[in-house]
Amino acid sequence: MNNLLDNKIEFLKGVGPKRAAILNKELNIFTFDDLLNYFPFRHTDKSRIHKVAEIDNDNVYYQLAGKIDNIKSYGTPRLTRITATLTDETGSIELVWFKGLKWIKTRFVPQQKYLLFGKASAFNNKFNFVHPDVEDFNPADFTQGESLQGVYNTTEAMKTQGLGTKSVARLVKTLLFQVKDMITEVFPQYILDKEKLISRADAYFNIHLPSDSNMLQLSVNRLKFEEHFFFQLQLLHNKKNRELYVKGFPFKVVGQLFNDFYANHLPFPLTNAQKRVIKEIRHDLGAGTQMNRLLQGDVGSGKTIVALMVMLIALDNGYQAALMAPTEILAAQHLQTIQTLLEKMPVEIALLTGSTKAKQRKIIHEGLQNGTLQILIGTHALIEENVQFKQLGITIIDEQHRFGVAQRARMQEKNDIPPHILVMTATPIPRTLAMTQYGDLNNSRIDEMPPGRKMVETRHLYQHQRLQMIGFLKKQIAIGRQIYIVYPLIHESEKLDLINLMEGYESLLRDFPEPDYRICMVHGQMKAADKDFEMQRFVKGQAHIMVATTVIEVGVNIPNASVMVIEHADRFGLSQLHQLRGRVGRGADQSYCLLMTDFKLTAEAKKRMATMVRTNDGFEIAEVDLQLRGPGETQGTRQSGQIEFKLGNLLQDEKLIKYVRHLVNQMLDEDPQLLKPENQIMKTHFEKIFKKTFDWSRIS
Ligand code: ADP
Ligand code: MG
């Protein structure tokens, strides 16, 4: 079937071996089918050319036609910018380039007419176009009847071989007429009807060669739907497969330890959200299959106690538990917290990190192997080969984004039957990422803070308000509070960063002189012992101010510290700012976060500062972060690399993804193996695109 689509691209009329090699190399296009799936990134509307006088909107795309002249170069000795003007009957408008300058400089012939496509941006009360697409104006384009034309991404290497966007468009056109009848449907009729989708063949045809803008929209909708549908099918297929077929230790009982802790040692009533997620986790643990659950909860939402109670369930069922943290400081803090909470209970706990001494290490290894050691807390040191458990029942990974998927996989190998896995993250993950990047995991959210937590009051101050800031800090110290001052890593070199930090530290020493004030300092290049010593000074209240790089970002809990000053706050991403702010507001006092920046800021940085000032809600901040930075840069993104959709868009498709996920879930609930005759067509397509069998019983 469809074998024409599997043909090598070389055999398409107009391609040949030379161009084929370029298409292989530059665009990963090897077959007819690959080219068919190389969608235009936009369409030019040849039926509509705007006039310069019509431009009245910032950030809107316009298509103009006119002469280009008045070319000016800026920057000596290095060319940094070129401007030019495009003129039509109604006026002139400025064009600007910052890249590819040499080429631009000689590109335009005076008196020749050009077609321009680009986004108008408002600048100094005028509009201009930055890096517009410009091509020679060809009147024939406007008489051929095809008003919408696909524009394809091409590379420099392609252009030098005569394979610009127009040539690609021509090749696609040739292809379409040749394979039109081979493009077969992948959805059953009942889905096409219910979702009002146009046929697949029509969609492919019209996304490349739209008959009109309505058909183009329907085509994009249809193909987007298909892309998300099969992506979710894969995720949910994996998830259900695991739930149905991968054995896990059944934690049947909630026993002595859990009940004793709950009844007698709980230091505070759990929030409803904590109760709910414990219930969700317990449900997974009792099911007899392996749990893979993601627990999201903002900084301070109380994940530690949830982790502890879940570990107690493992112990109650005769298993050991491991808690893995990303840094030694955090691992040590977990140990301390958990030891305190379990003080009056008969549970054996140990800490294993890179700096655990050989002698202690040996004792730990023995305890793990004979089962007397029940809870192991540590850094990634605990996934080393030689760490063997008697019966590891659950691994809890704190602060997921620091760990790679590979490390998680290694944890799975600790037993024949894989331990349950609970991944905890303090970085709230935008919903679209939770449904895609983490779509194969179960998801729990602690979306409620423990009672009595006051909002951290956040202010954005400029450098010229420094004196004001220092005065404020002095007042806070006078009423007994402690203060963090955090410096970002600014330079490529650690040495320069250290200098930057030291300069800040010295200037603070002048503002807060001894002996009235005491300042401690922690940074990444200190020896663990020194770091610990300085930390302890702060923890014990011997220092008023802690100057630090982002080593304190994760997990430190000092309730008396109520002010967080972030220097060069614009250098941090939103989720990092939010994490840092989470270090304060842990006690009963009103807490503050001061974001210090220079006066000049990018629009994006301003938005980040404004978001921090506006809200304390980590989930909301995560959504803004995704919008500003895109999925690749967001902290919730899995390290294995982000998903690349052809048409799907994580920033825009939240509703669609949610809907499709629901649909696929429902379908798999009713027909988990896609055995119904009408569903066969999707199974076949699934197996083709993912090159694996859908049939679970054949997966060992
Ligand atoms: P996370 O790890 O989610 O950032 P922690 O587990 O460190 O948060 O908890 C933050 C603080 O809140 C700790 O001091 C903890 O004792 C406290 N806490 C947690 N749950 C509750 C609760 N239900 N009621 C009151 N305080 C709580
Ligand atoms: Mg924590």
Side-chain angles (χ1 to χ4, degrees):
M1 256 177 45
N2 276 9
N3 45 19
L4 192 54
L5 283 170
D6 293 334
N7 270 4
K8 285 208 178 115
I9 196 67
E10 174 183 349
F11 302 119
L12 182 71
K13 191 163 169 280
V15 179
K18 229 175 130 189
R19 284 183 151 185
I22 299 170
L23 289 170
N24 293 170
K25 183 157 172 268
E26 298 293 313
L27 301 181
N28 255 328
I29 291 175
F30 290 89
T31 64
F32 282 22
D33 196 45
D34 292 338
L35 182 62
L36 188 65
N37 280 288
Y38 192 66
F39 300 129
F41 70 96
R42 66 174 175 86
H43 293 80
T44 4
D45 184 353
K46 301 277 170 161
S47 68
R48 181 78 176 95
I49 295 179
H50 299 94
K51 300 290 176 212
V52 168
E54 286 179 300
I55 298 171
D56 59 357
N57 241 322
D58 195 13
N59 250 334
V60 166
Y61 282 97
Y62 290 95
Q63 181 165 250
L64 306 170
K67 300 196 171 72
I68 295 178
D69 55 12
N70 199 16
I71 296 160
K72 289 187 191 143
S73 312
Y74 296 85
T76 44
R78 234 190 84 230
L79 202 53
T80 55
R81 175 167 61 111
I82 286 182
T83 62
T85 31
L86 178 137
T87 309
D88 66 11
E89 319 85 87
T90 67
S92 299
I93 193 154
E94 189 182 49
L95 318 179
V96 187
W97 289 269
F98 299 99
K99 282 182 193 154
L101 299 179
K102 268 196 193 135
W103 186 73
I104 296 288
K105 210 172 166 180
T106 53
R107 159 94 171 74
F108 303 111
V109 182
Q111 299 311 314
Q112 191 179 309
K113 202 169 173 190
Y114 293 93
L115 185 70
L116 173 143
F117 183 86
K119 210 191 298 185
S121 31
F123 186 73
N124 282 344
N125 296 324
K126 281 196 312 199
F127 288 106
N128 68 15
F129 286 89
V130 180
H131 282 253
D133 289 348
V134 182
E135 52 184 85
D136 296 349
F137 183 81
N138 181 3
D141 285 346
F142 295 85
T143 53
Q144 281 173 346
E146 282 164 16
S147 65
L148 284 167
Q149 284 181 5
V151 181
Y152 297 84
N153 263 322
T154 56
T155 64
E156 283 307 316
M158 288 171 68
K159 281 176 198 146
T160 57
Q161 300 288 327
L163 265 175
T165 175
K166 288 215 167 146
S167 317
V168 174
R170 263 195 302 277
L171 293 180
V172 171
K173 196 168 170 180
T174 308
L175 175 73
L176 277 171
F177 284 98
Q178 214 174 325
V179 302
K180 208 165 51 175
D181 302 328
M182 311 276 164
I183 303 172
T184 49
E185 190 48 71
V186 296
F187 286 126
Q189 194 60 41
Y190 79 91
I191 289 189
L192 294 177
D193 290 346
K194 181 160 168 278
E195 307 305 330
K196 300 193 176 56
L197 301 175
I198 63 171
S199 82
R200 193 157 185 260
D202 282 349
Y204 269 105
F205 201 89
N206 279 282
I207 196 167
H208 290 291
L209 290 177
S211 54
D212 57 46
S213 57
N214 183 43
M215 270 313 279
L216 173 60
Q217 196 53 54
L218 291 174
S219 305
V220 172
N221 291 353
R222 143 86 212 207
L223 292 170
K224 236 187 202 191
F225 181 95
E226 180 180 322
E227 189 170 26
H228 285 308
F229 186 96
F230 282 94
F231 190 72
Q232 288 299 329
L233 185 59
Q234 185 189 25
L235 289 171
L236 292 169
H237 168 261
N238 284 344
K239 181 165 174 282
K240 285 198 196 276
N241 174 26
R242 220 175 31 227
E243 285 166 7
L244 290 174
Y245 296 99
V246 177
K247 279 214 186 72
F249 303 118
F251 290 1
K252 292 271 183 239
V253 296
V254 170
Q256 179 64 29
L257 291 171
F258 184 95
N259 289 329
D260 181 24
F261 182 79
Y262 192 77
N264 306 315
H265 304 289
L266 207 57
F268 35 67
L270 297 178
T271 62
N272 286 329
Q274 284 170 322
K275 284 187 203 159
R276 174 171 43 76
V277 301
I278 290 174
K279 212 183 258 175
E280 286 166 0
I281 294 164
R282 258 170 61 183
H283 174 266
D284 284 2
L285 295 176
T289 60
Q290 189 213 2
M291 172 175 79
N292 266 273
R293 189 173 275 276
L294 182 68
L295 174 60
Q296 298 180 61
D298 216 334
V299 176
S301 62
K303 294 185 292 296
T304 316
I305 197 133
V306 171
L308 170 60
M309 293 178 74
V310 168
M311 291 197 288
L312 291 180
I313 300 176
L315 270 47
D316 276 338
N317 285 273
Y319 296 95
Q320 293 160 300
L323 174 58
M324 188 153 80
T327 65
E328 294 204 2
I329 292 178
L330 190 56
Q333 193 150 42
H334 274 322
L335 178 78
Q336 204 189 0
T337 309
I338 286 172
Q339 257 171 350
T340 311
L341 287 166
L342 295 183
E343 209 167 11
K344 304 210 177 73
M345 293 179 57
V347 177
E348 283 301 316
I349 313 169
L351 178 71
L352 181 67
T353 69
S355 40
T356 304
K357 297 272 174 335
K359 205 168 131 198
Q360 174 65 8
R361 198 172 279 264
K362 195 160 164 267
I363 298 172
I364 289 173
H365 286 180
E366 278 169 20
L368 288 175
Q369 276 169 30
N370 65 31
T372 49
L373 185 52
Q374 294 161 289
I375 294 180
L376 183 65
I377 298 172
T379 53
H380 52 266
L382 60 82
I383 57 168
E384 281 164 15
E385 300 283 343
N386 58 357
V387 180
Q388 294 295 338
F389 293 78
K390 180 164 182 239
Q391 189 75 294
L392 178 63
I394 185 165
T395 301
I396 299 181
I397 304 176
D398 197 5
E399 314 289 352
Q400 143 81 9
H401 58 265
R402 302 286 176 104
F403 289 101
V405 174
Q407 281 163 305
R408 196 140 59 83
R410 275 176 74 178
M411 220 49 229
Q412 303 241 21
E413 293 159 8
K414 289 277 165 198
N415 291 316
D416 291 341
I417 292 184
H420 297 294
I421 293 192
L422 180 67
V423 172
M424 304 199 296
T425 170
T427 310
I429 297 167
R431 283 187 189 279
T432 48
L433 284 185
M435 290 186 293
T436 51
Q437 301 269 347
Y438 297 88
D440 56 339
L441 302 180
N442 283 324
N443 236 293
S444 288
R445 277 184 167 206
I446 305 184
D447 49 8
E448 175 190 1
M449 285 288 173
R453 234 9 101 70
K454 289 204 181 76
M455 282 255 294
V456 178
E457 204 175 309
T458 303
R459 289 193 210 142
H460 175 198
L461 298 179
Y462 297 107
Q463 290 303 347
H464 68 260
Q465 293 167 295
R466 255 199 123 62
L467 275 179
Q468 203 181 318
M469 183 265 284
I470 288 162
F472 176 76
L473 298 189
K474 285 188 171 165
K475 272 192 208 143
Q476 287 291 310
I477 292 172
I479 57 171
R481 309 281 179 263
Q482 288 171 286
I483 290 157
Y484 295 107
I485 301 183
V486 177
Y487 284 82
L489 303 180
I490 296 179
H491 302 284
E492 296 293 311
S493 113
E494 291 181 349
K495 248 194 193 141
L496 285 174
D497 278 327
L498 203 57
I499 290 171
N500 189 58
L501 180 75
M502 296 310 288
E503 277 172 2
Y505 175 65
E506 271 154 29
S507 116
L508 283 167
L509 283 175
R510 288 190 292 275
D511 293 323
F512 297 90
E514 300 209 21
D516 292 349
Y517 300 100
R518 281 179 308 273
I519 306 179
C520 64
M521 179 163 58
V522 183
H523 59 79
Q525 285 165 72
M526 288 164 82
K527 291 205 188 87
D530 296 342
K531 223 188 275 182
D532 196 49
F533 177 79
E534 290 288 288
M535 281 298 253
Q536 286 308 319
R537 281 178 66 201
F538 196 65
V539 173
K540 290 182 188 144
Q542 295 162 353
H544 301 105
I545 298 178
M546 177 151 101
V547 178
T549 51
T550 41
V551 279
I552 64 152
E553 181 192 339
V554 180
V556 181
N557 189 16
I558 299 163
N560 192 48
S562 65
V563 184
M564 167 67 65
V565 180
I566 305 177
E567 297 281 1
H568 303 285
D570 52 306
R571 310 237 183 190
F572 292 94
L574 260 180
S575 68
Q576 216 178 1
L577 288 171
H578 179 63
Q579 287 253 353
L580 285 169
R581 179 168 62 183
R583 298 302 117 220
V584 297
R586 301 194 151 213
D589 314 312
Q590 177 60 53
S591 297
Y592 302 90
C593 175
L594 306 180
L595 308 169
M596 305 299 299
T597 72
D598 287 339
F599 193 67
K600 251 183 125 170
L601 289 176
T602 64
E604 204 236 79
K606 275 185 199 151
K607 177 116 198 236
R608 264 182 279 141
M609 299 306 122
T611 305
M612 288 297 291
V613 171
R614 186 184 74 237
T615 180
N616 270 252
D617 179 347
F619 286 102
E620 188 182 336
I621 288 171
E623 298 293 341
V624 178
D625 195 33
L626 177 67
Q627 295 297 333
L628 287 180
R629 301 207 291 172
E633 302 294 320
T634 312
Q635 287 233 10
T637 306
R638 266 188 188 183
Q639 297 184 345
S640 59
Q642 68 175 117
I643 302 154
E644 293 208 19
F645 289 111
K646 284 207 172 86
L647 292 168
N649 182 326
L650 286 178
L651 301 183
Q652 294 158 10
D653 298 349
E654 181 179 338
K655 267 194 189 148
L656 177 63
I657 296 172
K658 195 171 168 192
Y659 176 74
V660 166
R661 186 171 170 84
H662 173 73
L663 205 73
V664 173
N665 232 331
Q666 231 175 13
M667 181 179 85
L668 287 178
D669 280 345
E670 281 167 26
D671 185 12
Q673 310 250 27
L674 297 188
L675 293 176
K676 289 186 187 168
E678 65 269 31
N679 289 337
Q680 195 62 42
I681 185 174
M682 292 182 279
K683 186 161 153 175
T684 310
H685 186 62
F686 176 96
E687 293 181 344
K688 188 174 163 222
I689 56 177
F690 296 118
K691 298 190 173 55
K692 68 175 181 190
T693 166
F694 195 87
D695 187 356
W696 292 334
S697 56
R698 278 156 60 192
I699 302 170
S700 59

